[in-house]
Amino acid sequence: MSETSYTTENERIRALEARVNSLERQLKRQKIARKNAESFLETYSQDAYLANQALRKALKDSKQRERELLYLNRTASQLTHATSGESYIFSALESAVEFSGAFCGKAFTLKDGELVIGNDDRVLVQGQGWITSPPLAQFIQQETPLDLRESYSHWCVSAVLQPETEKESRLLHFMHEMSKGEYTWLVLLTKDDNLEEETLYVLDTTKHYLNITSRYQNKKSELDTRQLELSNVKKDRDFLEERLVSADKMAMLGQLAAGIAHEINNPIGYVRSNTVVAKDIFNDYQRALEEIGSLCKEAGGEVEAHFMALEKRFSLKDSATEIAEMFDESHEGIERIIEIVKALRSFSYPGSGKHCEISAIEAMNTAIKLTNNLHRYRNTVRFEVPEEDAFFNGNSGQIQQVLVNFLTNAIYATPEGKGITLKVQKEGDSVCLVVEDEGMGMSKETLSKVFTPFFTTKPPGEGTGLGMSISMTIVEEHNGRIDIVSAEGRGTKVSVVLPLA
């Protein structure tokens, strides 16, 4: 081989070696770049995976928060708009079952030791609503500690086996004291043993809502009661003011009547005295005329004939008889007026609270006279006067007020043509003043309210509803009592029992 060929071959080898070295360096760079790319791709994939997982978790958490917000909003809305304690308890249970995804739920309420809610076989099932399931209802009631009396801080969770599937589940329950002596339990039964702790935290808000709502409902109920009481007080006040105005008018009328009675008393005394004197004078004239007639008959002849003619002409005997009857009727009328004026003055002036000895017979007669215009043409009033009078101590005006009130009530309650009987009876150391009518009687409900102020069975405008209560007060101040016996269709018997003097 020539030297030139050898040199050329060496150069070619060196060129190939250089090429190989260049390719090796290039390959090495490519391997490094590939390795870096693979490393970057792996890191990117991991970041993308983590980001995707984080995004999924954030989306799940967002949906969970949305469910929680919807649950809280619905619970607050339902509880706020609930009209009764039972309705917002069931509203809270429905929201809790729906939010937690529980299989079913049930509510219990104990009031004064008695189960008033939950004592049935109904259970709230997810997606089905309320159904009747005695085994499930009994199981939930047995597993719930209804004997506890301390409110829970959080929902309690216990592991149980469902009676129908025999699968392990979770029983969630909590108790809240709604009011004194009233306790409520909300109970949830899950489908399986899977339960998120976050769910329990959200469910705890139900307790606060129940607490707030129960207080709100109690305050609202109390406010409604107060408003009703205030409205009744206002009505009673307006009615009382009206009655006071009427009472003031009656008092003025009583004073006016007493004054008129006083003014009548003086001239009627003159009339009474003059009538008695005139009757005595007429009797003297009558006796003188009879003696003149006797003398004329003794004289006989023309004198007797003339006297007989005058007697026949002027009807002296008949006129004398009629005039005597007129005097008697006038005297009777005057005595009646005097008795009425006397009773009116006694009724108008109760004696300023002074007590004196009162005749039972006189008190009854006075009451009859004062109500004469009410019963004269309507009812027959009979007074069975006892053989012996009875006396008791008291304020005569007040006692007459009581008797007049009872007799007036009897007149209004007794149909026209029926009778009313007054009696005076002695019972040991007491005297009993009885007013008994043949009216329609009273029902048990009316009888229980008869002494209630402002209660009346009379038409509007005809009764104040104060007569019986005032009468009760007066009789009690006299150390007495009032007994009433009445039955519908059988009349009423009112007895005023007072101690004898």
Side-chain angles (χ1 to χ4, degrees):
M1 179 180 293
S2 63
E3 185 177 353
T4 304
S5 300
Y6 180 76
T7 301
T8 304
E9 183 69 21
N10 286 337
E11 290 177 355
R12 189 172 66 83
I13 292 172
R14 285 195 294 270
L16 290 173
E17 289 178 352
R19 178 64 178 171
V20 170
N21 291 333
S22 174
L23 291 173
E24 287 179 353
R25 288 192 300 270
Q26 185 179 356
L27 181 60
K28 185 176 182 180
R29 288 194 302 269
Q30 289 178 351
K31 287 182 177 180
I32 293 173
R34 182 178 178 180
K35 184 177 182 181
N36 291 336
E38 290 177 350
S39 176
F40 175 78
L41 183 59
E42 182 180 358
T43 302
Y44 177 79
S45 298
Q46 290 178 353
D47 292 342
Y49 175 77
L50 293 176
N52 184 51
Q53 291 297 107
L55 182 60
R56 289 176 179 273
K57 186 176 184 302
L59 183 60
K60 182 179 179 181
D61 291 343
S62 176
K63 290 183 178 180
Q64 179 68 13
R65 295 295 178 269
E66 183 181 2
R67 289 180 61 241
E68 293 173 1
L69 289 174
L70 289 174
Y71 164 70
L72 296 176
N73 182 60
R74 177 183 174 184
T75 302
S77 176
Q78 288 179 338
L79 295 181
T80 303
H81 292 88
T83 58
S84 64
E86 184 174 347
S87 64
Y88 67 72
I89 288 172
F90 287 128
S91 295
L93 179 64
E94 291 172 2
S95 298
V97 170
E98 181 179 353
F99 167 72
S100 64
F103 170 66
C104 64
K106 191 169 178 63
F108 300 96
T109 295
L110 277 172
K111 188 172 184 179
D112 299 328
E114 182 180 356
L115 191 62
V116 294
I117 295 178
N119 54 347
D120 53 20
D121 297 330
R122 298 172 68 243
V123 179
L124 179 62
V125 178
Q126 177 78 267
Q128 299 182 37
W130 289 96
I131 67 169
T132 300
S133 177
L136 198 55
Q138 186 177 4
F139 171 75
I140 294 176
Q141 182 173 346
Q142 290 175 348
E143 295 294 332
T144 304
L146 298 179
D147 56 338
L148 293 180
R149 292 297 179 268
E150 293 184 4
S151 296
Y152 297 7
S153 300
H154 304 284
W155 283 76
C156 293
V157 182
S158 56
V160 295
L161 292 177
Q162 282 198 30
E164 297 179 355
T165 62
E166 295 296 330
K167 291 183 179 180
E168 184 174 337
S169 303
R170 295 291 182 265
L171 186 75
L172 290 72
H173 58 88
F174 87 86
M175 183 271 285
H176 178 69
E177 186 175 3
M178 307 296 291
S179 61
K180 186 176 181 181
E182 183 176 356
Y183 305 90
T184 292
W185 282 261
L186 293 186
V187 186
L188 307 177
L189 182 62
T190 64
K191 299 177 182 178
D192 48 39
D193 59 352
N194 184 24
L195 180 63
E196 295 182 5
E197 187 175 356
E198 185 80 14
T199 302
L200 292 177
Y201 293 146
V202 178
L203 285 175
D204 280 339
T205 59
T206 305
K207 176 181 177 61
H208 303 296
Y209 276 118
L210 279 178
N211 185 25
I212 294 172
T213 306
S214 62
R215 287 186 295 172
Y216 167 76
Q217 292 289 340
N218 291 336
K219 293 298 182 182
K220 183 180 178 182
S221 177
E222 184 178 352
L223 179 61
D224 292 341
T225 302
R226 296 298 182 189
Q227 288 178 339
L228 181 60
E229 292 177 353
L230 183 61
S231 177
N232 292 335
V233 168
K234 185 177 182 302
K235 290 180 181 179
D236 292 343
R237 185 196 65 186
D238 294 341
F239 185 77
L240 184 58
E241 288 178 353
E242 182 181 348
R243 293 301 101 201
L244 288 175
V245 171
S246 177
D248 184 58
K249 291 181 180 179
M250 293 301 295
M252 295 176 61
L253 184 61
Q255 294 177 1
L256 180 62
I260 294 174
H262 177 73
E263 293 299 327
I264 293 175
N265 196 46
N266 290 331
I268 204 67
Y270 302 145
V271 174
R272 178 188 186 189
S273 177
N274 292 339
T275 302
V276 172
V277 173
K279 183 178 181 181
D280 292 339
I281 294 174
F282 174 74
N283 290 334
D284 292 338
Y285 275 107
Q286 182 68 15
R287 285 192 293 271
L289 184 61
E290 290 176 356
E291 291 181 5
I292 291 172
S294 297
L295 292 174
C296 289
K297 289 179 180 179
E298 290 177 0
E302 186 177 349
V303 175
E304 181 181 6
H306 189 62
F307 177 79
M308 294 299 293
L310 289 174
E311 186 181 36
K312 183 178 180 180
R313 178 183 176 186
F314 294 103
S315 303
L316 295 179
K317 290 184 179 181
D318 295 337
S319 297
T321 303
E322 291 176 359
I323 291 173
E325 291 177 356
M326 290 179 185
F327 274 117
D328 292 338
E329 291 175 356
S330 298
H331 181 73
E332 181 181 354
I334 291 170
E335 291 297 328
R336 184 176 176 184
I337 293 174
I338 291 173
E339 288 296 323
I340 292 175
V341 170
K342 180 180 178 182
L344 185 60
R345 292 185 65 190
S346 176
F347 187 75
S348 301
Y349 292 108
S352 302
K354 295 181 181 179
H355 284 214
C356 60
E357 192 172 79
I358 301 173
S359 164
I361 295 177
E362 183 179 349
M364 285 293 204
N365 283 324
T366 301
I368 294 173
K369 292 173 184 176
L370 289 172
T371 57
N372 183 60
N373 63 312
L374 298 177
H375 62 73
R376 183 189 306 174
Y377 304 111
R378 177 182 174 88
N379 308 108
T380 302
V381 177
R382 298 182 297 273
F383 178 27
E384 298 180 0
V385 183
E387 295 181 358
E388 183 181 356
D389 198 356
F391 296 89
F392 56 92
N393 291 322
N395 185 306
S396 60
Q398 291 182 345
I399 294 299
Q400 288 166 11
Q401 180 179 355
V402 171
L403 294 176
V404 167
N405 179 61
F406 290 158
L407 184 52
T408 301
N409 289 343
I411 293 169
Y412 276 106
T414 304
E416 187 175 351
K418 296 288 185 177
I420 300 171
T421 303
L422 278 64
K423 302 176 184 178
V424 175
Q425 301 171 338
K426 286 186 178 180
E427 298 179 354
D429 296 333
S430 301
V431 58
C432 186
L433 310 179
V434 180
V435 179
E436 187 173 1
D437 62 61
E438 298 176 356
M440 301 305 295
M442 293 181 287
S443 64
K444 291 183 179 179
E445 182 180 0
T446 302
L447 194 58
S448 65
K449 299 178 182 179
V450 71
F451 293 111
T452 303
F454 306 113
F455 174 77
T456 179
T457 57
K458 296 178 182 177
E462 295 188 13
T464 64
L466 294 172
M468 295 299 290
S469 61
I470 292 175
S471 298
M472 171 64 80
T473 302
I474 292 174
V475 172
E476 288 179 346
E477 289 177 352
H478 284 73
N479 298 320
R481 72 176 191 273
I482 299 175
D483 297 333
I484 301 180
V485 179
S486 182
E488 290 184 289
R490 299 183 181 180
T492 301
K493 179 181 178 181
V494 182
S495 303
V496 180
V497 182
L498 298 166
L500 289 168

